[in-house]
Amino acid sequence: MNSIYLDNAATTPIHPQVVEAMTKVMLTEFGNPSSVHAHGRVVRALIEDARRSVAKSLNCAPGEIFFTSGGTEADNMAIRKSVEDFGVKNIITSAIEHHAVLHTVEELAHAGKITMHLVKLLPNGHVDLADLESLLKNNNNALVSLMHANNEIGNLLDIEHVGNLCKQYNALFHCDTVQTIGHYPFDLQKLNISFCACAAHKFNGPKGVGFVYVNANNKIHPFITGGAQERNMRGGTENVYGIVGLAKALQIATENLEKEHAHIQGLKNYMMQMLQQAIPGISFNGDAAGKSLYTVLNVCFPETNVAEMLLYKLDIAGVSASGGSACSSGSNKGSHVLSALGVNPKRPSVRFSFGYQNTKEEIDYTVNVLKKIFNEAAKA
Ligand SMILES: Cc1ncc(COP(=O)(O)O)c(C=O)c1O
């Protein structure tokens, strides 16, 4: 039985060297990092080493990194603190953000704390930057919350341009970088980003740990009240092993970035080409051949009588892929991203997402499975 994992945007397998680094600490250190005695101090030093290492990878100051339980908490912290601490009254976002952002902004709007503005999208799913500028022109005290790469269709935002627009109009910029940290180089000193979010499990780190970057110009008050952890911003004893694992995973990802980018982009291009040859009428959602995250390919298959069964048939053949965002896969509601882009709901869409461990042979196998499914469906 084949076991092919093409759902790396949902989560990635943990890197063996990350497991090694985490286990070493688990076996030897158990102190509470808030304790002032020797057992505590050793663990405190591990956390601060991890913070320095993360800051070095992203070219920011260690004091700008706050460890969290993952991407959702980081997004929540950035958005809610912007409203509570900086008097944000208008949040400009898009209909295709992750639910960690959309549901948070919607809740704040329902509570009457902010007005929510949805920026227009171009037919290929990119943000209409002219509309963004006009929204910024007409709304003061604004936070722009737009993701760097869309987790379902892979579209990439020009964060340099958006950062400059936000600076020009005196707005805060929160960028959900959950799908791109560990996959692209970042220079946070150069980018005009106020907040960004990270989840370690998207780049071969452990689950349940991430961080929020808060630019030093934006001093926030505690998000989770309690102890003085994370310099008072997030109470609660730290996820020490997770933090050690996150830093190790980011270090490995940063060292191998160029090599892995080339390998994974090659797989994506190859799959696009092979699918177009194998299945007539296929297309790709979003700007797959343009400004697009190299790890994600969202395929729009032709109408078929096996649409509902496509993911199941792939699963039976040993291929794990996803019908949209994994975060909502249990809800059976379909994808809010594909709906916002007006994708024909009769055409099944599947998101394939790649990691460094995937091979050309796995792509060949997957394309053959799909070809067979569509050939059989045509005969039925
Ligand atoms: C773009 C984006 N933002 C936020 C999240 C939430 O991250 P986590 O599940 O680690 O909280 C995800 C996870 O799928 C994501 O893809």
Side-chain angles (χ1 to χ4, degrees), residues 66 86 172-173 193-195 214-221:
F66 299 88
F86 304 122
L172 294 167
F173 178 25
I193 289 181
S194 321
F195 312 96
V214 181
N215 182 281
N217 295 330
N218 306 308
K219 296 269 178 273
I220 55 168
H221 294 121

Side-chain angles (χ1 to χ4, degrees), residues 70-72 75 98 100 147 151 176 178-179 199 201-202 327:
T72 303
D75 285 334
H98 191 273
M147 67 208 307
N151 51 303
D176 180 336
V178 168
Q179 291 290 343
H201 69 109
K202 305 293 188 185
C327 305

Side-chain angles (χ1 to χ4, degrees), residues 94-115:
S94 87
I96 61 171
E97 298 303 301
H98 191 273
H99 282 147
V101 167
L102 271 183
H103 288 170
T104 307
V105 178
E106 280 163 7
E107 193 204 276
L108 291 163
H110 285 145
K113 294 182 179 165
I114 54 112
T115 304

Side-chain angles (χ1 to χ4, degrees), residues 22 25 185 306:
M22 290 172 73
V25 178
V306 294

Side-chain angles (χ1 to χ4, degrees), residues 34 39 45 80 100 120 134 138 153 187-188 200 204 223 226 231-232 248 258 305 311 326 333 357 360:
S34 297
H39 284 84
R80 292 181 190 278
K120 283 185 193 148
S134 108
N138 294 316
I153 57 170
D187 185 343
L188 288 171
N204 309 100
F223 179 57
R231 295 184 315 293
N232 245 337
K248 185 70 187 172
E258 277 176 37
N305 50 5
L311 280 176
K333 267 202 266 167
Q357 77 283 2
K360 205 164 156 268

Side-chain angles (χ1 to χ4, degrees), residues 18-95:
V18 172
V19 177
E20 207 179 298
M22 290 172 73
T23 340
K24 189 171 157 224
V25 178
M26 279 182 201
L27 290 171
T28 54
E29 308 302 340
F30 63 89
N32 186 323
S34 297
S35 302
V36 290
H37 51 58
H39 284 84
R41 288 199 305 272
V42 175
V43 179
R44 162 71 39 221
L46 288 171
I47 294 178
E48 295 316 317
D49 283 351
R51 203 186 310 278
R52 272 192 292 277
S53 165
V54 167
K56 189 168 166 238
S57 292
L58 305 176
N59 196 26
C60 65
E64 294 176 310
I65 300 294
F66 299 88
F67 292 114
T68 64
S69 63
T72 303
E73 185 187 322
D75 285 334
N76 266 269
M77 187 159 162
I79 296 167
R80 292 181 190 278
K81 287 281 100 188
S82 297
V83 175
E84 281 173 25
D85 294 350
F86 304 122
V88 159
K89 293 285 176 232
N90 293 290
I91 300 187
I92 301 167
T93 185
S94 87

